[in-house]
Amino acid sequence: MIVFDLQCREDGQIFEAWFRSSDDYEDQRQQDLVICPLCQSSNVGKAPMAPRVPRKGSDSPLSRLAAMQAELLKKSRWVGDQFTDTARKIHAGEIEPQQVHGNATLAQARSLVDEGVPVAPLFVPVTPPDQVN
């Protein structure tokens, strides 16, 4: 599917229309099937369109994911390389339940999962607090 901004050459009305392809648009236009929704004129053509380029920064999916993760990590304590031991102790009830995050190898993470310890990967890399400027 493709979307075009179209403009009526009779009344200047600009409207949006969807087509299967550019060829489909041309076929329909030549058969006078593309009409202005306001005046019903078939004297319609493509309107100038700005490219739909995603904005940098906060609108990208990765940026939104990073922002959500950062918000969740505000309630979590960094335990660094002690993550595996800390997660086991929390799971066993040896220390107070709390949200923690840190480093673990794939093998360590798998062993936690095998033991029934609830863990989840972070989707966006995290800089340890002692390495932040």
Side-chain angles (χ1 to χ4, degrees):
M1 295 298 283
I2 188 167
V3 64
F4 290 124
D5 285 340
L6 303 177
Q7 185 169 21
C8 177
R9 294 184 180 123
E10 300 293 324
D11 62 20
Q13 174 77 19
I14 295 178
F15 57 98
E16 191 175 86
W18 291 80
F19 300 92
R20 283 187 218 113
S21 65
S22 292
D23 291 339
D24 187 42
Y25 161 75
E26 287 298 330
D27 291 344
Q28 289 186 39
R29 191 184 60 75
Q30 288 174 3
Q31 296 175 46
D32 292 331
L33 296 174
V34 180
I35 58 171
C36 174
L38 190 64
C39 71
Q40 305 302 307
S41 170
S42 62
N43 189 6
V44 171
K46 291 182 186 176
M49 293 176 55
R52 294 182 185 188
V53 177
R55 293 188 314 176
K56 289 184 180 178
S58 64
D59 285 348
S60 75
L62 182 58
S63 294
R64 289 193 301 270
L65 182 62
M68 288 189 304
Q69 179 176 292
E71 194 60 34
L72 290 172
L73 290 180
K74 287 180 184 178
K75 301 172 187 167
S76 180
R77 183 171 64 92
W78 172 259
V79 294
D81 292 334
Q82 298 303 308
F83 177 77
T84 305
D85 293 335
T86 304
R88 281 191 177 103
K89 287 177 182 177
I90 292 170
H91 184 69
E94 297 174 19
I95 61 174
E96 188 76 23
Q98 59 186 295
Q99 298 276 337
V100 296
H101 64 284
N103 299 324
T105 66
L106 182 57
Q108 290 171 324
R110 283 186 177 150
S111 71
L112 289 172
V113 170
D114 291 344
E115 295 170 30
V117 179
V119 296
L122 295 176
F123 296 104
V124 180
V126 175
T127 303
D130 61 345
Q131 294 179 13
V132 176
N133 298 4

